[in-house]
Amino acid sequence: MASPPRTTRGRTPLTRERILRAALAIIDERGLRALTMRGQAAELGVEAMSLYWHVKGKPAVLDGVVEMLLDEMPVDRSPELGWREGLEHFARCFRRVALDHPDAFPLFAARPIAAYIAGRDLAEVGLARLVEAGLPPVDAALAQRSVIRWVLGFSLSEQAGRGELARAPQLAAEAHLPEDGYPLVTGALTAIAGDQEGAVLFEYGLRLVLDGIEVAISSRRQG
């Protein structure tokens, strides 16, 4: 295979990492649809064909962006950290990525296998804790994926309804629901209007998922 073109004197060398950082910056600033190989090359000040010496194409760039997002999540290998604390830590870090990169985060849903492979260090540590706690490997994988799906589904739903939540107090007031006829629904709408960021709902749902996993582990131990 021929060697990549030499870098012009004084210009920062083109590398896979530079390409991926530029891609993530474009997505963060202008959205996923704005990412093109040509636009990315222009951002880096190179010809579009130069990118292909370092990445195979746009799918490889998107997989690389997923890797970069996962690199923001620390792998906590502390032996004293139990399976539940480990999953809590993972879920909150994963949600942090969703909040920091809302336009790039849907890549986790669109490219689940690539995400699992890229996050293999995180996955392996979490699975080992669940197996050590008493779950068979298959059940451990299902438990881990349930937590991932909770964070993923919650975050994507939260992102899609961001504008609606911002208008929640106004919409709740405009509904004019009679409190004597719908007291529970009225209370629920009031709670939604007061929970702009969804932090309370996220923690509540995460606790329910982890409680379910704990029941499964206890059943295995008792069986």
Side-chain angles (χ1 to χ4, degrees):
M1 180 178 177
S3 299
R6 292 183 179 180
T7 304
T8 303
R9 184 174 297 178
R11 182 179 293 177
T12 305
L14 189 63
T15 62
R16 179 176 182 268
E17 183 179 355
R18 276 195 70 208
I19 293 169
L20 298 182
R21 288 195 181 282
L24 181 55
I26 290 171
I27 295 170
D28 283 344
E29 292 169 10
R30 303 197 289 271
L32 195 53
R33 291 185 179 180
L35 181 66
T36 65
M37 298 298 281
R38 189 177 299 277
Q40 203 175 344
E43 197 81 16
L44 291 164
V46 300
E47 296 294 329
M49 290 305 298
S50 301
L51 302 180
Y52 292 91
W53 290 103
H54 305 277
V55 292
K56 292 182 179 179
K58 186 174 177 179
V61 172
L62 295 177
D63 288 345
V65 169
V66 169
E67 289 178 31
M68 296 198 74
L69 295 177
L70 287 168
D71 283 344
E72 296 185 11
M73 299 174 57
V75 181
D76 194 331
R77 302 180 185 274
S78 306
E80 65 272 12
L81 201 66
W83 70 266
R84 183 166 185 135
E85 294 80 9
L87 283 177
E88 284 178 345
H89 177 73
F90 164 81
R92 289 168 185 152
C93 288
F94 199 25
R95 173 167 159 78
R96 186 71 260 162
V97 170
L99 294 173
D100 290 344
H101 305 281
D103 290 311
F105 192 75
L107 287 171
F108 286 104
R111 316 182 81 76
I113 303 303
Y116 228 92
I117 293 172
R120 55 190 176 275
D121 287 343
L122 283 166
E124 188 70 21
V125 170
L127 288 170
R129 288 186 180 126
L130 287 165
V131 170
E132 186 178 353
L135 288 181
V138 172
D139 287 11
L142 290 173
Q144 186 181 72
R145 288 175 61 199
S146 294
V147 174
I148 293 171
R149 290 293 181 91
W150 161 247
V151 182
L152 191 59
F154 181 91
S155 299
L156 293 177
S157 174
E158 184 178 45
Q159 181 183 350
R162 196 184 305 161
E164 187 86 348
L165 283 175
R167 298 191 305 130
Q170 174 191 344
L171 293 173
E174 290 174 353
H176 299 301
L177 292 178
E179 291 190 19
D180 56 342
Y182 302 94
L184 298 178
V185 173
T186 301
L189 285 173
T190 302
I192 292 172
D195 184 25
Q196 296 286 334
E197 296 181 355
V200 173
L201 180 58
F202 176 81
E203 291 292 336
Y204 184 80
L206 177 61
R207 186 167 69 249
L208 291 182
V209 175
L210 296 177
D211 284 349
I213 295 173
E214 192 156 354
V215 170
I217 291 173
S218 297
S219 297
R220 281 281 175 180
R221 287 173 176 168
Q222 293 171 5

